[in-house]
Amino acid sequence: DSIDVLDVHYMPPKAFAALRSAADERGRQDMGIWQTEMANSPHAHFVSNNYPRFLYWALTNDWDYADKYKLFFFSYKSPKLSERETAVNRTLYQGDDLSPHGISLNTLGELLKGDGLHAYTAVHATPDLSPQLVTGKSGMEVFTVGNRVVASIHVGADIDLKSMQKDGSLQLSLSFPEIQPGQIDKIERVDIAGERLALAYDSMPGGGVNVAAPVSDKPGSNAEAWNGKSTGCRTFYVVLTLNTATQTR
């Protein structure tokens, strides 16, 4: 009874599921699970490939008080020109400037800031994608917050890329059957560095909208340089901004 938090370091998202199951089996459904040291990685796609997977899992696993699930990025800051090679590109700040990790985290934070953050399920991807805790697997986590629907999409080597070829490029199709064309203010593709691209959409027979999003990042962009260096998964976001606050969950 003296244990209130299970704490791990440098574990993948699937470790949270294993610890939650073990705690629940022992009658400790309210026990918190924290990762008080994670990242320490030179790969700038770490935040985008890990954090949305953690977040979606937490939102769908009884996150009923603020401190139940927590992640602590290590470490916060290094000198602009570090004498320790291991610190370069591993922190959120380099000197007074955001590092690639910091920019990636800031991008995700801007997309998900606001009141009423929820997991969202009324969406279908072609090829088929679902939430995945294994960081090397393709997957998709979708959230609603404020007047936005935010899809976090990870495309890896386990997807048949030939099925995504359309008009000479790789494209992912997303269908939102519960969102009507009249609700939409704009739809954008947002890369992990925050660069935005406006996307067109089509009405679906019987209601809803369908949008095709390019998988590849803009050539020469930061996101193209940062994405997929370690696990092979490339992450990007599709954001629907609605003209009324989202009511669907």
Side-chain angles (χ1 to χ4, degrees):
D1 292 336
S2 63
I3 301 174
D4 56 357
V5 170
L6 297 175
D7 180 28
V8 294
H9 286 182
Y10 300 109
M11 298 297 289
K14 64 180 181 179
F16 269 48
L19 290 170
R20 179 75 281 146
S21 178
D24 290 354
E25 288 173 1
R26 292 160 176 79
R28 301 301 303 271
Q29 289 83 0
D30 289 335
M31 181 173 286
I33 304 174
W34 296 6
Q35 181 141 222
T36 54
E37 197 168 310
M38 68 180 300
N40 193 25
S41 170
H43 303 297
H45 76 298
F46 179 90
V47 167
S48 60
N49 193 36
N50 282 265
Y51 275 45
R53 300 179 195 258
F54 272 114
L55 180 60
Y56 190 93
W57 178 88
L59 288 169
T60 54
N61 278 269
D62 299 318
W63 193 2
D64 49 8
Y65 63 94
D67 290 339
K68 191 169 189 176
Y69 302 123
K70 283 193 172 187
L71 302 178
F72 295 75
F73 188 99
F74 182 85
S75 61
Y76 177 68
K77 190 174 184 178
S78 63
K80 182 69 174 178
L81 296 175
S82 176
E83 295 179 0
R84 293 182 59 221
E85 182 65 25
T86 56
V88 176
N89 292 330
R90 294 174 182 265
T91 57
L92 293 176
Y93 273 90
Q94 294 174 344
D96 294 327
D97 299 324
L98 282 172
S99 71
H101 282 303
I103 293 171
S104 179
L105 182 58
N106 187 65
T107 296
L108 183 59
E110 285 295 314
L111 294 180
L112 296 180
K113 71 179 181 181
D115 296 327
L117 178 64
H118 301 283
Y120 185 70
T121 59
V123 56
H124 177 71
T126 305
D128 189 39
L129 292 173
S130 60
Q132 298 289 336
L133 285 176
V134 178
T135 55
K137 279 192 173 184
S138 300
M140 178 175 70
E141 308 84 36
V142 187
F143 310 91
T144 59
V145 57
N147 66 332
R148 299 183 303 282
V149 178
V150 180
S152 173
I153 299 159
H154 318 281
V155 177
D158 55 338
I159 274 189
D160 178 13
L161 295 181
K162 291 182 180 179
S163 67
M164 305 177 76
Q165 287 282 356
K166 183 178 180 181
D167 300 328
S169 65
L170 296 178
Q171 296 188 22
L172 179 82
S173 177
L174 295 177
S175 300
F176 297 87
E178 295 184 2
I179 297 176
Q180 305 309 315
Q183 293 179 269
I184 295 174
D185 181 35
K186 59 184 176 181
I187 302 180
E188 297 170 294
R189 182 195 192 275
V190 183
D191 70 25
I192 65 173
E195 189 165 342
R196 294 173 179 259
L197 173 69
L199 298 177
Y201 58 90
D202 298 314
S203 299
M204 295 170 56
V209 297
N210 187 74
V211 58
V215 172
S216 301
D217 295 310
K218 180 180 175 181
S221 66
N222 284 333
E224 184 189 47
W226 298 348
N227 238 326
K229 295 293 186 181
S230 178
T231 64
C233 272
R234 307 184 65 85
T235 298
F236 64 95
Y237 309 104
V238 172
V239 183
L240 286 71
T241 302
L242 307 184
N243 50 36
T244 56
T246 55
Q247 299 298 317
T248 49
R249 293 168 60 179

